[in-house]
Amino acid sequence: QVHLVESGGGLVQAGGSLRLSCAASGSIFSINAMGWYRQAPGKQRELVATVTGGGNTNYKDSVKGRFTISRDTAKNAVYLQMNSLKPEDTAVYYCNSKAGILNRDYWGQGTQVTVSS
């Protein structure tokens, strides 16, 4: 089992920045990759960014150049630095980890990000 706790969401004006943090606990040795997903009202949850244990990253096209994902293996944490935020970035952001042989998904409770125009 992997337990994830997010922090850092909030309300920000368009063009502003926020930094999300996610702390992992439990069977952290089994984590293969970590990432961030988001879900806006009435929409499906979508991938924002992921990072593997080897440091390979992947981003949703619309956040490339604005968002940066990073992972601190010593602290069992993953971060999402979000710059130049847009109203369309408004969503609940969820931390995700894929762990074990079957790459099982684990999710945090979510943190609200609201970008005002």
Side-chain angles (χ1 to χ4, degrees):
Q1 293 284 335
V2 176
H3 185 56
L4 303 170
V5 177
E6 303 104 332
S7 60
L11 173 64
V12 64
Q13 289 189 333
S17 298
L18 283 173
R19 186 177 188 243
L20 304 183
S21 300
C22 173
S25 61
S27 300
I28 55 176
F29 59 90
S30 66
I31 294 176
N32 301 315
M34 297 187 73
W36 292 93
Y37 290 68
R38 68 187 183 189
Q39 187 167 18
K43 295 188 177 181
Q44 289 188 331
R45 191 173 297 188
E46 62 181 9
L47 181 148
V48 176
T50 60
V51 59
T52 67
N56 294 318
T57 58
N58 181 48
Y59 294 93
K60 177 181 175 62
D61 283 347
S62 64
V63 308
K64 288 180 180 178
R66 300 189 297 123
F67 291 10
T68 302
I69 189 169
S70 59
R71 184 174 175 180
D72 187 332
T73 54
K75 295 183 177 180
N76 305 315
V78 64
Y79 309 97
L80 186 68
Q81 178 66 43
M82 304 184 294
N83 299 327
S84 302
L85 282 160
K86 304 176 180 180
E88 50 264 42
D89 295 318
T90 295
V92 178
Y93 284 68
Y94 295 91
C95 181
N96 169 270
S97 71
K98 297 187 182 297
I101 297 174
L102 299 179
N103 255 356
R104 178 180 174 180
D105 283 308
Y106 293 90
W107 298 95
Q109 80 284 359
T111 185
Q112 178 71 46
V113 171
T114 302
V115 184
S116 63
S117 57

